[in-house]
Amino acid sequence: MGYLYDLEGKKMKVALVVGARPNFMKAAPILRAIDDANQHELCTITPLLVHTGQHYDTALSDAFFSDLNLPAPNIYLNVGSGSHAVQTAEIMRRFEGVLETEHPDAVLVVGDVNSTVACALVTAKFSFGAANSRPLLAHVEAGLRSFDRAMPEECNRIVTDHLSDLLFVTEESGLRNLKNEGISADRVFFAGNTMIDSVLACEERAECSTVLDQLGLVMPHGNGSAEVRPYVVLTLHRPANVDNRGAFTEILEGLHEVAAAQTVVFPAHPRTQKRINEHRLERYFSFLTSNNRHGRDDAGPGLTVIEPLGYLDFLCLLKHASLVVTDSGGIQEEATCLGVPCVTVRDNTERPITLTNGTNVLGGTQQYTIRAAIREQLHRTYLRSFPEKWDGKAGARIVKILLRFWKDAGIMARS
Ligand code: UD1
């Protein structure tokens, strides 16, 4: 009780770091929960939204801010692209300045991108000076492991988890992995999945998207009703899958059979679009731009590349698909909660709950394994699945734990 009294009227300043597309939907529910907590708590939180600028294209960044009702970032670091070393170093250099001027009490990093590990490293080694103190460091989406260190994200996850003071886990495997790595259980909290908070919060609005009409995926009936045509969604952006021409071609060959039978819509990441041109793989695709896709009413079979979609349009496209083929981590989770069969074009996943309790199967990266997985999944129907604590309340749990920590212990790392 004494703490409550001591802290009454004080504000906890929390820097929340985002940088790349998959960060935005994980951060939005935390900001909303902070707003809620501020209405009810004696001790309030001042959020400071820091965008590193790792992703800067409108389609990968601004579109998500408006779809998710995120406020404009308080600080934009404008780092842009670069090699892993250059990008990570530049984020670190610029984020250190933020800690120096803003003095946050806590830093929250989400996910596993370069912005996550860069800001975690800076926070863990920072010192406010004479007091020899630093902000508390919390990792949202801790404990996931693919056990494949060739993935840059796996290195980012391991380093971030081992530096963090508080670790918020999305699925049971995360608890096991962190225990096996010797991370003390009193720092680890099974909070749930903020990415699923966003799906549940935005699903109704996503139904108003016109993306299916624009892509010719809605078949009108004479009586005024309409039906969604069967189609597949494809996303590919992992360097291991698209940077090497042979690997990319193998995947495209694996998709050949399904693409001959139905429309495969492929919102392509800028990296992937570049590789299609560099590898001269255009012959596999037809291309639709936002200028020529309006009013299309005849989507036929084939692989159709479109520009990256915003959050609400993608959610709508995914929800109504017969199947999604992807190498993304987050889409495996979204497909599980939407009940959409998913083939992951990888040999492993850091999200095993989507295999055991969800709609995901591993399709590998060889054409015959991908083809077999697609055949298997196209014949399956799934119910929507909500693994433990994928209930729309993860953001609220995280903020509650943060506040409890603040009230009970003050800021641990300041002592
Ligand atoms: C990053 C994350 C990956 C995540 C993905 C989601 C890392 C190591 N990788 O990969 O985990 O799944 O985001 O999209 O952090 N580019 C643009 N416009 C942009 C941003 C990037 O054209 O706004 C192009 C640039 O050519 C850049 C390339 O995409 O070099 C790669 O961008 P980068 O942020 O390095 O990695 P992603 O592949 O986007």
Side-chain angles (χ1 to χ4, degrees):
M1 284 299 122
Y3 290 115
L4 269 178
Y5 178 78
D6 289 340
L7 292 168
E8 192 169 351
K10 286 196 181 156
K11 290 201 167 195
M12 177 190 196
K13 192 174 195 178
V14 174
L16 178 57
V17 176
V18 293
R21 180 169 59 176
N23 292 160
F24 306 130
M25 58 289 250
K26 293 170 192 167
I30 299 172
L31 281 177
R32 255 198 323 277
I34 288 177
D35 276 351
D36 280 355
N38 283 344
Q39 318 274 336
H40 301 108
E41 299 283 336
L42 288 173
C43 155
T44 53
I45 298 179
T46 306
L48 184 79
L49 185 60
V50 181
H51 187 338
T52 65
Q54 175 175 344
H55 282 178
Y56 42 85
D57 279 355
T58 304
L60 298 192
S61 179
D62 296 8
F64 285 75
F65 273 74
S66 51
D67 280 359
L68 291 157
N69 292 327
L70 274 166
N74 301 93
I75 296 174
Y76 186 69
L77 298 179
N78 199 22
V79 293
S81 299
S83 69
H84 282 272
V86 166
Q87 188 176 62
T88 307
E90 200 52 42
I91 297 167
M92 289 180 70
R93 210 174 62 76
R94 297 184 192 197
F95 189 66
E96 188 172 50
V98 175
L99 297 189
E100 276 161 2
T101 51
E102 296 292 336
H103 281 221
D105 297 296
V107 172
L108 252 69
V109 294
V110 301
D112 56 14
V113 301
N114 285 345
S115 300
T116 312
V117 71
C119 296
L121 260 166
V122 174
T123 307
K125 296 206 215 172
F126 192 76
S127 170
F128 280 126
N132 197 23
S133 60
R134 66 165 174 85
L136 185 83
L137 173 62
H139 184 205
V140 176
E141 200 188 82
L144 297 181
R145 295 290 181 270
S146 65
F147 303 102
D148 173 7
R149 291 203 183 183
M151 280 180 85
E153 293 82 1
E154 182 74 352
C155 301
N156 294 345
R157 293 180 198 117
I158 293 168
V159 174
T160 305
D161 283 345
H162 282 260
L163 294 175
S164 293
D165 304 304
L166 295 179
L167 296 95
F168 296 112
V169 169
T170 54
E171 63 165 80
E172 205 269 334
S173 72
L175 297 174
R176 229 178 15 249
N177 294 333
L178 295 174
K179 186 174 178 212
N180 290 343
E181 291 175 23
I183 292 179
S184 160
D186 58 4
R187 286 153 56 196
V188 178
F189 300 88
F190 188 4
N193 192 329
T194 60
M195 184 170 234
I196 301 304
D197 288 7
S198 278
V199 173
L200 298 176
C202 296
E203 208 180 335
E204 211 174 299
R205 279 196 300 134
E207 282 300 302
C208 301
S209 160
T210 58
V211 71
L212 301 184
D213 290 297
Q214 289 175 34
L215 294 172
L217 296 168
V218 180
M219 191 162 42
H221 292 308
N223 59 7
S225 66
E227 191 185 332
V228 177
R229 298 173 201 268
Y231 64 89
V232 174
V233 176
L234 171 68
T235 83
L236 293 172
H237 73 283
R238 299 232 164 257
N241 283 343
V242 302
D243 283 2
N244 175 283
R245 187 178 194 281
F248 199 169
T249 310
E250 189 72 20
I251 294 169
L252 295 175
E253 291 295 335
L255 286 158
H256 183 78
E257 184 176 274
V258 70
Q262 52 184 291
T263 311
V264 179
V265 184
F266 183 15
H269 186 285
R271 168 201 283 281
T272 312
Q273 291 186 4
K274 275 183 207 156
R275 297 297 179 251
I276 291 172
N277 299 335
E278 279 168 24
H279 301 326
R280 310 247 35 131
L281 294 172
E282 294 92 340
R283 69 185 174 85
Y284 283 95
F285 305 100
S286 60
F287 295 85
L288 267 189
T289 65
S290 46
N291 292 333
N292 70 9
R293 80 178 192 215
H294 288 275
R296 204 170 173 255
D297 58 3
D298 60 344
L303 277 171
T304 302
V305 173
I306 60 170
E307 289 145 16
L309 293 173
Y311 184 67
L312 296 174
D313 284 345
F314 187 77
L315 207 53
C316 178
L317 186 72
L318 180 61
K319 185 175 175 183
H320 294 279
S322 317
L323 172 76
V324 61
V325 180
T326 187
D327 60 5
S328 150
I331 292 172
Q332 298 168 45
E333 296 180 339
E334 291 168 342
T336 282
C337 115
L338 293 170
V340 178
C342 176
V343 171
T344 296
V345 188
R346 286 171 47 190
D347 294 318
N348 54 54
T349 178
E350 61 288 334
R351 293 160 159 93
I353 196 87
T354 62
L355 301 174
T356 53
N357 295 34
T359 64
N360 189 20
V361 302
L362 293 178
T365 53
Q366 302 297 306
Q367 54 176 288
Y368 70 93
T369 56
I370 295 167
R371 198 177 303 121
I374 289 174
R375 280 187 195 152
E376 177 192 327
Q377 285 287 68
L378 274 175
H379 289 104
R380 286 207 168 146
T381 47
Y382 290 96
L383 293 175
R384 300 181 63 163
S385 167
F386 298 94
E388 192 180 350
K389 296 193 181 168
W390 291 19
D391 56 0
K393 296 177 186 158
R397 281 189 204 100
I398 288 167
V399 170
K400 202 168 165 191
I401 293 163
L402 210 57
L403 275 171
R404 196 173 75 210
F405 216 82
W406 161 257
K407 287 173 181 171
D408 285 356
I411 288 299
M412 180 187 75
R414 279 184 182 280
S415 59

